Amino acid sequence: MDLDVVNMFVIAGGTLALPILAFVASFLLWPSALIRIYYWYWRRTLGMQVRYVRHEDYQFCYSFRGRPGHKPSVLMLHGFSAHKDMWLSMVKFLPKNLHLVCVDMPGHEGTTRSSLDDLSIDGQVKRIHQFVECLKLNKKPFHLVGTSMGGHVAGVYAAYYPSDVCSLSLVCPAGLQYSTDNKFVQRLKELQDSAAVEKIPLIPTTPEEMSEMLQLCSYVRFKVPQQILQGLVDVRIPHNTFYRKLFLEIVSEKSRYSLHQNMDKIKVPTQIIWGKQDQVLDVSGADMLAKSIANSQVELLENCGHSVVMERPRKTAKLLVDFLASVHNTDSSKKLD
């Protein structure tokens, strides 16, 4: 989620090439502004361009690099309360000859947020299909990647629109029904029963809650400065009402197990990546998917939590490139740069 921003502050002084005094002032006084500058800087450095496209009165915001070619295009769907830029840490290690498209999910960042929008998993799948049609991305089948909520949407998309997708990567996806609940899910159910929607662990409202969320989502433990935690909270607070509405929708009876109910309809080659120490969605979900999707392979990452893309970006990028090469007979010997 916000782990890539935390990583940035370890090396930002040199990486951003800003005068030290300006950096320190920004760090202390305007951490939320510095976070936005960080994403702008990395998009520019990595060659990711931001564009907008409309379907009737609905606007999608996305970033892209490269052009469609003989290799499948790659569409990437982020997780709950994140945005298209969460993929940047992984994009850094992907070959520049891949056509990459990272879209803001419905209601997130630059994509339209409407009180009338259907935020259920089915509703989000339909919106992403509209986006695909707008870009004509399905002129040739593309590779679909999704993590967490985005993985939930990606899996159901592959089941609903099989002709659009040539292959699939699911990174610790939500939407599965487990025989027993982990501690995180048990806590969520207790909150739902008590109607304490203000206390959802994935929607922090204070620096302390932000620190707890980072610890929940990552295996690596960071000592994050208070100013940065405050900046991360400041960026999110204006959106928390929407996040609560979205969260309650995707854990509702209509949406909670949509991937589980449709996983046997996924027929394309599928890669399943999961962090072994995931505290949000139990790693046993990988085996569950593998047993239902005939043409699938599982990659379990040691010392890795739920934020796979941010915790292990180089490894995740290599797994993706190798998978694409094995499925589509392309050259995987090219150095990841």
Side-chain angles (χ1 to χ4, degrees), residues 157-219:
Y157 188 104
Y160 285 5
Y161 302 103
S163 63
D164 282 9
V165 180
C166 60
S167 48
L168 178 68
S169 290
L170 300 177
V171 185
C172 52
L176 298 176
Q177 186 170 8
Y178 296 87
S179 56
T180 57
D181 295 332
N182 64 12
K183 291 181 180 179
F184 172 71
V185 174
Q186 289 174 12
R187 183 179 174 190
L188 287 181
K189 288 185 175 180
E190 290 170 2
L191 292 173
Q192 281 184 291
D193 292 340
S194 64
V197 294
E198 300 296 317
K199 297 296 183 181
I200 298 171
L202 298 179
I203 308 177
T205 58
T206 66
E208 292 72 25
E209 290 176 357
M210 175 59 72
S211 180
E212 290 174 6
M213 189 191 78
L214 292 174
Q215 291 182 35
L216 172 69
C217 294
S218 63
Y219 173 77

Short mmCIF file of all heavy atoms in Angstrom, two decimals, residues 157-219:
data_model
loop_
_atom_site.label_atom_id
_atom_site.label_comp_id
_atom_site.label_asym_id
_atom_site.label_seq_id
_atom_site.Cartn_x
_atom_site.Cartn_y
_atom_site.Cartn_z
N TYR A 157 -12.56 -11.01 -13.74
CA TYR A 157 -12.52 -10.51 -15.12
C TYR A 157 -12.14 -11.64 -16.08
O TYR A 157 -12.76 -11.81 -17.14
CB TYR A 157 -11.52 -9.36 -15.24
CG TYR A 157 -11.55 -8.65 -16.58
CD1 TYR A 157 -12.15 -7.40 -16.70
CD2 TYR A 157 -10.98 -9.22 -17.73
CE1 TYR A 157 -12.19 -6.74 -17.93
CE2 TYR A 157 -11.03 -8.57 -18.95
CZ TYR A 157 -11.64 -7.34 -19.05
OH TYR A 157 -11.68 -6.69 -20.26
N ALA A 158 -11.12 -12.39 -15.72
CA ALA A 158 -10.66 -13.50 -16.59
C ALA A 158 -11.75 -14.55 -16.75
O ALA A 158 -11.84 -15.20 -17.80
CB ALA A 158 -9.40 -14.12 -16.00
N ALA A 159 -12.59 -14.72 -15.74
CA ALA A 159 -13.70 -15.67 -15.82
C ALA A 159 -14.84 -15.13 -16.69
O ALA A 159 -15.45 -15.88 -17.46
CB ALA A 159 -14.22 -16.00 -14.42
N TYR A 160 -15.10 -13.84 -16.59
CA TYR A 160 -16.21 -13.22 -17.32
C TYR A 160 -15.88 -12.90 -18.77
O TYR A 160 -16.76 -12.94 -19.64
CB TYR A 160 -16.64 -11.91 -16.63
CG TYR A 160 -17.41 -12.07 -15.35
CD1 TYR A 160 -17.63 -13.32 -14.76
CD2 TYR A 160 -17.92 -10.95 -14.70
CE1 TYR A 160 -18.33 -13.45 -13.57
CE2 TYR A 160 -18.64 -11.06 -13.51
CZ TYR A 160 -18.84 -12.31 -12.95
OH TYR A 160 -19.54 -12.43 -11.77
N TYR A 161 -14.63 -12.53 -19.03
CA TYR A 161 -14.22 -12.10 -20.38
C TYR A 161 -13.00 -12.92 -20.84
O TYR A 161 -11.92 -12.38 -21.05
CB TYR A 161 -13.87 -10.61 -20.37
CG TYR A 161 -15.01 -9.72 -19.92
CD1 TYR A 161 -15.01 -9.17 -18.64
CD2 TYR A 161 -16.08 -9.43 -20.76
CE1 TYR A 161 -16.05 -8.36 -18.21
CE2 TYR A 161 -17.13 -8.62 -20.35
CZ TYR A 161 -17.11 -8.09 -19.06
OH TYR A 161 -18.14 -7.28 -18.64
N PRO A 162 -13.19 -14.21 -21.02
CA PRO A 162 -12.05 -15.09 -21.34
C PRO A 162 -11.34 -14.76 -22.65
O PRO A 162 -10.14 -14.98 -22.77
CB PRO A 162 -12.68 -16.49 -21.40
CG PRO A 162 -14.14 -16.25 -21.63
CD PRO A 162 -14.45 -14.96 -20.93
N SER A 163 -12.06 -14.19 -23.61
CA SER A 163 -11.43 -13.88 -24.90
C SER A 163 -10.53 -12.66 -24.82
O SER A 163 -9.69 -12.43 -25.70
CB SER A 163 -12.49 -13.67 -25.99
OG SER A 163 -13.31 -12.56 -25.66
N ASP A 164 -10.67 -11.84 -23.77
CA ASP A 164 -9.85 -10.65 -23.62
C ASP A 164 -8.45 -10.97 -23.10
O ASP A 164 -7.50 -10.23 -23.38
CB ASP A 164 -10.49 -9.67 -22.61
CG ASP A 164 -11.64 -8.87 -23.20
OD1 ASP A 164 -12.06 -9.19 -24.33
OD2 ASP A 164 -12.11 -7.93 -22.53
N VAL A 165 -8.36 -12.04 -22.32
CA VAL A 165 -7.15 -12.30 -21.53
C VAL A 165 -6.40 -13.52 -22.06
O VAL A 165 -7.00 -14.58 -22.29
CB VAL A 165 -7.53 -12.52 -20.04
CG1 VAL A 165 -6.30 -12.80 -19.20
CG2 VAL A 165 -8.29 -11.31 -19.50
N CYS A 166 -5.08 -13.37 -22.23
CA CYS A 166 -4.28 -14.51 -22.70
C CYS A 166 -3.59 -15.21 -21.53
O CYS A 166 -3.22 -16.39 -21.64
CB CYS A 166 -3.25 -14.07 -23.74
SG CYS A 166 -2.07 -12.84 -23.13
N SER A 167 -3.40 -14.50 -20.43
CA SER A 167 -2.76 -15.08 -19.24
C SER A 167 -3.02 -14.16 -18.06
O SER A 167 -3.44 -13.01 -18.24
CB SER A 167 -1.25 -15.30 -19.46
OG SER A 167 -0.63 -14.15 -20.01
N LEU A 168 -2.73 -14.67 -16.86
CA LEU A 168 -3.18 -13.98 -15.65
C LEU A 168 -2.15 -14.15 -14.53
O LEU A 168 -1.59 -15.22 -14.35
CB LEU A 168 -4.52 -14.61 -15.23
CG LEU A 168 -5.22 -14.13 -13.96
CD1 LEU A 168 -5.71 -12.69 -14.13
CD2 LEU A 168 -6.41 -15.06 -13.66
N SER A 169 -1.91 -13.07 -13.80
CA SER A 169 -1.09 -13.13 -12.59
C SER A 169 -1.91 -12.62 -11.42
O SER A 169 -2.36 -11.47 -11.43
CB SER A 169 0.18 -12.28 -12.73
OG SER A 169 1.09 -12.84 -13.66
N LEU A 170 -2.12 -13.47 -10.42
CA LEU A 170 -2.86 -13.11 -9.22
C LEU A 170 -1.88 -13.02 -8.06
O LEU A 170 -1.24 -14.01 -7.70
CB LEU A 170 -3.94 -14.15 -8.92
CG LEU A 170 -5.00 -14.35 -10.02
CD1 LEU A 170 -5.96 -15.46 -9.63
CD2 LEU A 170 -5.76 -13.05 -10.29
N VAL A 171 -1.77 -11.83 -7.48
CA VAL A 171 -0.83 -11.59 -6.39
C VAL A 171 -1.63 -11.44 -5.10
O VAL A 171 -2.35 -10.46 -4.93
CB VAL A 171 0.03 -10.33 -6.65
CG1 VAL A 171 1.08 -10.17 -5.56
CG2 VAL A 171 0.70 -10.40 -8.02
N CYS A 172 -1.55 -12.44 -4.24
CA CYS A 172 -2.32 -12.52 -2.98
C CYS A 172 -3.72 -11.93 -3.14
O CYS A 172 -4.07 -10.94 -2.47
CB CYS A 172 -1.57 -11.87 -1.82
SG CYS A 172 -0.97 -10.20 -2.08
N PRO A 173 -4.53 -12.52 -4.02
CA PRO A 173 -5.85 -11.94 -4.30
C PRO A 173 -6.84 -12.15 -3.16
O PRO A 173 -6.80 -13.16 -2.45
CB PRO A 173 -6.30 -12.71 -5.55
CG PRO A 173 -5.64 -14.05 -5.39
CD PRO A 173 -4.30 -13.75 -4.79
N ALA A 174 -7.75 -11.20 -3.02
CA ALA A 174 -8.88 -11.37 -2.12
C ALA A 174 -9.96 -12.19 -2.84
O ALA A 174 -9.79 -12.56 -3.99
CB ALA A 174 -9.42 -10.00 -1.72
N GLY A 175 -11.05 -12.49 -2.13
CA GLY A 175 -12.19 -13.13 -2.77
C GLY A 175 -12.31 -14.62 -2.59
O GLY A 175 -13.16 -15.26 -3.21
N LEU A 176 -11.48 -15.20 -1.71
CA LEU A 176 -11.52 -16.65 -1.48
C LEU A 176 -12.21 -16.96 -0.15
O LEU A 176 -12.16 -16.17 0.79
CB LEU A 176 -10.11 -17.24 -1.50
CG LEU A 176 -9.35 -17.09 -2.82
CD1 LEU A 176 -7.94 -17.62 -2.69
CD2 LEU A 176 -10.09 -17.80 -3.96
N GLN A 177 -12.81 -18.14 -0.09
CA GLN A 177 -13.50 -18.57 1.14
C GLN A 177 -12.66 -19.62 1.85
O GLN A 177 -12.45 -20.72 1.33
CB GLN A 177 -14.89 -19.12 0.79
CG GLN A 177 -15.74 -19.46 1.99
CD GLN A 177 -17.17 -19.77 1.62
OE1 GLN A 177 -17.51 -19.89 0.44
NE2 GLN A 177 -18.03 -19.90 2.62
N TYR A 178 -12.18 -19.27 3.02
CA TYR A 178 -11.31 -20.16 3.79
C TYR A 178 -12.14 -20.96 4.79
O TYR A 178 -13.19 -20.50 5.27
CB TYR A 178 -10.26 -19.34 4.55
CG TYR A 178 -9.28 -18.61 3.65
CD1 TYR A 178 -9.58 -17.34 3.15
CD2 TYR A 178 -8.06 -19.18 3.29
CE1 TYR A 178 -8.69 -16.66 2.33
CE2 TYR A 178 -7.17 -18.51 2.48
CZ TYR A 178 -7.48 -17.24 1.99
OH TYR A 178 -6.60 -16.58 1.19
N SER A 179 -11.63 -22.13 5.14
CA SER A 179 -12.34 -22.96 6.12
C SER A 179 -12.25 -22.36 7.51
O SER A 179 -13.15 -22.52 8.34
CB SER A 179 -11.77 -24.39 6.11
OG SER A 179 -10.37 -24.37 6.36
N THR A 180 -11.14 -21.67 7.80
CA THR A 180 -10.99 -20.98 9.08
C THR A 180 -10.49 -19.56 8.83
O THR A 180 -9.72 -19.33 7.89
CB THR A 180 -9.98 -21.71 10.00
OG1 THR A 180 -8.72 -21.83 9.33
CG2 THR A 180 -10.49 -23.10 10.38
N ASP A 181 -10.92 -18.63 9.66
CA ASP A 181 -10.53 -17.23 9.51
C ASP A 181 -9.21 -16.95 10.23
O ASP A 181 -8.99 -17.46 11.34
CB ASP A 181 -11.60 -16.32 10.08
CG ASP A 181 -12.91 -16.40 9.32
OD1 ASP A 181 -12.87 -16.69 8.11
OD2 ASP A 181 -13.97 -16.16 9.94
N ASN A 182 -8.34 -16.15 9.60
CA ASN A 182 -7.13 -15.71 10.30
C ASN A 182 -7.50 -14.58 11.28
O ASN A 182 -8.64 -14.13 11.34
CB ASN A 182 -6.04 -15.28 9.32
CG ASN A 182 -6.43 -14.07 8.49
OD1 ASN A 182 -7.43 -13.39 8.75
ND2 ASN A 182 -5.65 -13.78 7.46
N LYS A 183 -6.53 -14.10 12.04
CA LYS A 183 -6.79 -13.09 13.07
C LYS A 183 -7.36 -11.81 12.47
O LYS A 183 -8.24 -11.17 13.05
CB LYS A 183 -5.51 -12.79 13.86
CG LYS A 183 -5.05 -13.94 14.74
CD LYS A 183 -3.79 -13.55 15.51
CE LYS A 183 -3.32 -14.70 16.39
NZ LYS A 183 -2.07 -14.35 17.13
N PHE A 184 -6.84 -11.42 11.31
CA PHE A 184 -7.29 -10.19 10.68
C PHE A 184 -8.76 -10.29 10.30
O PHE A 184 -9.55 -9.38 10.59
CB PHE A 184 -6.45 -9.91 9.43
CG PHE A 184 -6.95 -8.76 8.60
CD1 PHE A 184 -6.83 -7.46 9.06
CD2 PHE A 184 -7.54 -8.98 7.36
CE1 PHE A 184 -7.30 -6.39 8.30
CE2 PHE A 184 -8.01 -7.92 6.60
CZ PHE A 184 -7.88 -6.63 7.08
N VAL A 185 -9.16 -11.39 9.68
CA VAL A 185 -10.56 -11.56 9.26
C VAL A 185 -11.48 -11.66 10.49
O VAL A 185 -12.59 -11.12 10.49
CB VAL A 185 -10.71 -12.79 8.36
CG1 VAL A 185 -12.18 -13.06 8.03
CG2 VAL A 185 -9.91 -12.60 7.06
N GLN A 186 -11.00 -12.36 11.52
CA GLN A 186 -11.79 -12.43 12.76
C GLN A 186 -12.05 -11.03 13.32
O GLN A 186 -13.17 -10.72 13.75
CB GLN A 186 -11.05 -13.28 13.80
CG GLN A 186 -11.01 -14.76 13.49
CD GLN A 186 -10.13 -15.54 14.46
OE1 GLN A 186 -9.73 -15.02 15.50
NE2 GLN A 186 -9.82 -16.77 14.13
N ARG A 187 -11.03 -10.20 13.29
CA ARG A 187 -11.18 -8.83 13.79
C ARG A 187 -12.16 -8.04 12.95
O ARG A 187 -12.99 -7.29 13.48
CB ARG A 187 -9.81 -8.14 13.80
CG ARG A 187 -9.83 -6.73 14.37
CD ARG A 187 -8.44 -6.13 14.35
NE ARG A 187 -8.45 -4.72 14.77
CZ ARG A 187 -7.41 -3.91 14.66
NH1 ARG A 187 -6.26 -4.37 14.16
NH2 ARG A 187 -7.50 -2.65 15.04
N LEU A 188 -12.11 -8.22 11.63
CA LEU A 188 -13.04 -7.52 10.75
C LEU A 188 -14.48 -7.92 11.04
O LEU A 188 -15.38 -7.08 11.08
CB LEU A 188 -12.72 -7.82 9.29
CG LEU A 188 -11.49 -7.16 8.69
CD1 LEU A 188 -11.35 -7.55 7.23
CD2 LEU A 188 -11.55 -5.65 8.83
N LYS A 189 -14.71 -9.21 11.26
CA LYS A 189 -16.06 -9.68 11.53
C LYS A 189 -16.58 -9.13 12.86
O LYS A 189 -17.76 -8.80 12.99
CB LYS A 189 -16.10 -11.21 11.52
CG LYS A 189 -15.95 -11.81 10.13
CD LYS A 189 -16.09 -13.31 10.12
CE LYS A 189 -16.07 -13.85 8.69
NZ LYS A 189 -16.20 -15.33 8.64
N GLU A 190 -15.68 -9.01 13.83
CA GLU A 190 -16.07 -8.42 15.11
C GLU A 190 -16.47 -6.95 14.92
O GLU A 190 -17.44 -6.48 15.52
CB GLU A 190 -14.92 -8.53 16.11
CG GLU A 190 -14.65 -9.96 16.58
CD GLU A 190 -13.36 -10.07 17.37
OE1 GLU A 190 -12.69 -9.02 17.57
OE2 GLU A 190 -13.01 -11.19 17.78
N LEU A 191 -15.72 -6.24 14.09
CA LEU A 191 -16.02 -4.84 13.83
C LEU A 191 -17.36 -4.70 13.10
O LEU A 191 -18.15 -3.79 13.37
CB LEU A 191 -14.91 -4.19 13.01
CG LEU A 191 -13.56 -4.00 13.71
CD1 LEU A 191 -12.51 -3.51 12.73
CD2 LEU A 191 -13.70 -3.00 14.87
N GLN A 192 -17.60 -5.61 12.14
CA GLN A 192 -18.87 -5.57 11.41
C GLN A 192 -20.04 -5.83 12.35
O GLN A 192 -21.06 -5.16 12.29
CB GLN A 192 -18.86 -6.62 10.28
CG GLN A 192 -18.10 -6.18 9.04
CD GLN A 192 -18.20 -7.19 7.92
OE1 GLN A 192 -17.65 -8.29 8.01
NE2 GLN A 192 -18.91 -6.82 6.88
N ASP A 193 -19.87 -6.81 13.23
CA ASP A 193 -20.94 -7.16 14.18
C ASP A 193 -21.25 -6.00 15.12
O ASP A 193 -22.39 -5.80 15.53
CB ASP A 193 -20.56 -8.40 14.99
CG ASP A 193 -20.51 -9.66 14.13
OD1 ASP A 193 -21.11 -9.64 13.03
OD2 ASP A 193 -19.88 -10.64 14.55
N SER A 194 -20.21 -5.23 15.47
CA SER A 194 -20.40 -4.12 16.39
C SER A 194 -20.68 -2.80 15.66
O SER A 194 -20.83 -1.76 16.30
CB SER A 194 -19.17 -3.95 17.28
OG SER A 194 -18.03 -3.61 16.49
N ALA A 195 -20.72 -2.88 14.33
CA ALA A 195 -20.97 -1.69 13.48
C ALA A 195 -19.91 -0.61 13.69
O ALA A 195 -20.17 0.58 13.51
CB ALA A 195 -22.36 -1.12 13.75
N ALA A 196 -18.69 -1.02 14.07
CA ALA A 196 -17.60 -0.06 14.31
C ALA A 196 -16.82 0.17 13.04
O ALA A 196 -15.63 -0.14 12.94
CB ALA A 196 -16.70 -0.57 15.42
N VAL A 197 -17.47 0.75 12.03
CA VAL A 197 -16.84 0.91 10.72
C VAL A 197 -15.73 1.96 10.74
O VAL A 197 -14.94 2.06 9.80
CB VAL A 197 -17.88 1.30 9.64
CG1 VAL A 197 -18.85 0.16 9.42
CG2 VAL A 197 -18.62 2.56 10.03
N GLU A 198 -15.66 2.75 11.81
CA GLU A 198 -14.61 3.76 11.91
C GLU A 198 -13.26 3.14 12.24
O GLU A 198 -12.23 3.81 12.18
CB GLU A 198 -14.98 4.80 12.99
CG GLU A 198 -16.28 5.53 12.73
CD GLU A 198 -16.24 6.39 11.48
OE1 GLU A 198 -15.21 7.07 11.27
OE2 GLU A 198 -17.22 6.38 10.72
N LYS A 199 -13.25 1.87 12.63
CA LYS A 199 -12.03 1.24 13.13
C LYS A 199 -11.46 0.17 12.19
O LYS A 199 -10.74 -0.71 12.63
CB LYS A 199 -12.29 0.61 14.50
CG LYS A 199 -12.67 1.62 15.59
CD LYS A 199 -11.53 2.59 15.87
CE LYS A 199 -11.86 3.56 16.99
NZ LYS A 199 -10.74 4.50 17.25
N ILE A 200 -11.80 0.24 10.92
CA ILE A 200 -11.27 -0.74 9.96
C ILE A 200 -9.75 -0.58 9.87
O ILE A 200 -9.25 0.52 9.57
CB ILE A 200 -11.92 -0.54 8.57
CG1 ILE A 200 -13.43 -0.77 8.66
CG2 ILE A 200 -11.29 -1.49 7.55
CD1 ILE A 200 -14.18 -0.38 7.41
N PRO A 201 -8.98 -1.64 10.13
CA PRO A 201 -7.51 -1.52 10.19
C PRO A 201 -6.85 -1.02 8.91
O PRO A 201 -5.75 -0.48 8.96
CB PRO A 201 -7.06 -2.96 10.50
CG PRO A 201 -8.25 -3.61 11.12
CD PRO A 201 -9.44 -2.99 10.48
N LEU A 202 -7.51 -1.20 7.76
CA LEU A 202 -6.94 -0.78 6.49
C LEU A 202 -7.30 0.67 6.14
O LEU A 202 -6.97 1.14 5.06
CB LEU A 202 -7.39 -1.71 5.36
CG LEU A 202 -6.96 -3.18 5.49
CD1 LEU A 202 -7.49 -3.99 4.33
CD2 LEU A 202 -5.45 -3.30 5.58
N ILE A 203 -7.97 1.35 7.07
CA ILE A 203 -8.34 2.75 6.85
C ILE A 203 -7.87 3.56 8.05
O ILE A 203 -8.65 3.94 8.92
CB ILE A 203 -9.86 2.90 6.64
CG1 ILE A 203 -10.35 1.93 5.54
CG2 ILE A 203 -10.21 4.34 6.25
CD1 ILE A 203 -11.85 1.96 5.32
N PRO A 204 -6.56 3.83 8.12
CA PRO A 204 -6.01 4.55 9.28
C PRO A 204 -6.41 6.03 9.29
O PRO A 204 -6.54 6.65 8.24
CB PRO A 204 -4.50 4.39 9.09
CG PRO A 204 -4.32 4.22 7.62
CD PRO A 204 -5.52 3.45 7.15
N THR A 205 -6.59 6.56 10.50
CA THR A 205 -6.95 7.98 10.66
C THR A 205 -5.94 8.72 11.52
O THR A 205 -6.05 9.94 11.66
CB THR A 205 -8.34 8.11 11.30
OG1 THR A 205 -8.34 7.45 12.58
CG2 THR A 205 -9.41 7.49 10.42
N THR A 206 -4.96 8.01 12.07
CA THR A 206 -3.92 8.63 12.90
C THR A 206 -2.57 8.04 12.52
O THR A 206 -2.51 6.94 11.93
CB THR A 206 -4.16 8.37 14.40
OG1 THR A 206 -4.01 6.96 14.65
CG2 THR A 206 -5.55 8.81 14.82
N PRO A 207 -1.47 8.71 12.86
CA PRO A 207 -0.14 8.14 12.58
C PRO A 207 0.04 6.77 13.25
O PRO A 207 0.68 5.89 12.66
CB PRO A 207 0.81 9.18 13.18
CG PRO A 207 0.06 10.47 13.10
CD PRO A 207 -1.37 10.11 13.37
N GLU A 208 -0.54 6.60 14.44
CA GLU A 208 -0.40 5.32 15.14
C GLU A 208 -1.11 4.20 14.37
O GLU A 208 -0.58 3.10 14.22
CB GLU A 208 -0.97 5.43 16.56
CG GLU A 208 -0.19 6.33 17.50
CD GLU A 208 -0.34 7.82 17.18
OE1 GLU A 208 -1.37 8.21 16.57
OE2 GLU A 208 0.59 8.60 17.52
N GLU A 209 -2.30 4.51 13.87
CA GLU A 209 -3.03 3.52 13.08
C GLU A 209 -2.33 3.24 11.75
O GLU A 209 -2.34 2.11 11.26
CB GLU A 209 -4.46 4.00 12.84
CG GLU A 209 -5.32 3.99 14.09
CD GLU A 209 -6.71 4.57 13.87
OE1 GLU A 209 -7.00 5.04 12.73
OE2 GLU A 209 -7.51 4.57 14.82
N MET A 210 -1.71 4.27 11.17
CA MET A 210 -0.93 4.06 9.94
C MET A 210 0.23 3.12 10.19
O MET A 210 0.51 2.21 9.40
CB MET A 210 -0.43 5.40 9.41
CG MET A 210 0.50 5.29 8.20
SD MET A 210 -0.24 4.45 6.77
CE MET A 210 -1.41 5.69 6.22
N SER A 211 0.92 3.30 11.30
CA SER A 211 2.03 2.41 11.66
C SER A 211 1.55 0.97 11.82
O SER A 211 2.20 0.02 11.35
CB SER A 211 2.69 2.90 12.95
OG SER A 211 3.76 2.06 13.32
N GLU A 212 0.40 0.80 12.46
CA GLU A 212 -0.17 -0.53 12.64
C GLU A 212 -0.53 -1.16 11.30
O GLU A 212 -0.33 -2.36 11.10
CB GLU A 212 -1.41 -0.45 13.54
CG GLU A 212 -1.09 -0.11 15.00
CD GLU A 212 -2.35 0.10 15.82
OE1 GLU A 212 -3.47 -0.12 15.28
OE2 GLU A 212 -2.22 0.49 17.00
N MET A 213 -1.06 -0.35 10.38
CA MET A 213 -1.42 -0.89 9.07
C MET A 213 -0.19 -1.34 8.30
O MET A 213 -0.18 -2.40 7.66
CB MET A 213 -2.18 0.15 8.25
CG MET A 213 -2.77 -0.43 6.96
SD MET A 213 -3.39 0.81 5.81
CE MET A 213 -1.87 1.41 5.08
N LEU A 214 0.88 -0.55 8.36
CA LEU A 214 2.12 -0.93 7.68
C LEU A 214 2.67 -2.23 8.24
O LEU A 214 3.16 -3.08 7.50
CB LEU A 214 3.15 0.20 7.81
CG LEU A 214 2.83 1.50 7.07
CD1 LEU A 214 3.87 2.56 7.41
CD2 LEU A 214 2.77 1.27 5.57
N GLN A 215 2.59 -2.41 9.55
CA GLN A 215 3.06 -3.64 10.17
C GLN A 215 2.17 -4.83 9.78
O GLN A 215 2.65 -5.94 9.61
CB GLN A 215 3.09 -3.49 11.69
CG GLN A 215 4.17 -2.52 12.18
CD GLN A 215 4.21 -2.43 13.70
OE1 GLN A 215 3.96 -3.42 14.39
NE2 GLN A 215 4.51 -1.26 14.21
N LEU A 216 0.87 -4.57 9.65
CA LEU A 216 -0.05 -5.62 9.25
C LEU A 216 0.23 -6.09 7.82
O LEU A 216 0.18 -7.29 7.54
CB LEU A 216 -1.50 -5.10 9.34
CG LEU A 216 -2.60 -6.00 8.78
CD1 LEU A 216 -2.77 -7.25 9.64
CD2 LEU A 216 -3.92 -5.22 8.70
N CYS A 217 0.53 -5.14 6.94
CA CYS A 217 0.64 -5.46 5.52
C CYS A 217 2.03 -5.88 5.07
O CYS A 217 2.19 -6.38 3.96
CB CYS A 217 0.18 -4.26 4.69
SG CYS A 217 -1.58 -3.89 4.87
N SER A 218 3.04 -5.68 5.89
CA SER A 218 4.40 -6.03 5.47
C SER A 218 5.10 -6.90 6.50
O SER A 218 4.85 -6.79 7.70
CB SER A 218 5.22 -4.76 5.22
OG SER A 218 5.37 -4.02 6.43
N TYR A 219 5.96 -7.75 6.00
CA TYR A 219 6.77 -8.59 6.88
C TYR A 219 7.95 -7.81 7.44
O TYR A 219 8.30 -7.93 8.61
CB TYR A 219 7.27 -9.81 6.11
CG TYR A 219 8.25 -10.67 6.89
CD1 TYR A 219 7.80 -11.54 7.89
CD2 TYR A 219 9.62 -10.61 6.64
CE1 TYR A 219 8.68 -12.31 8.62
CE2 TYR A 219 10.51 -11.38 7.36
CZ TYR A 219 10.04 -12.24 8.35
OH TYR A 219 10.92 -13.00 9.07
#
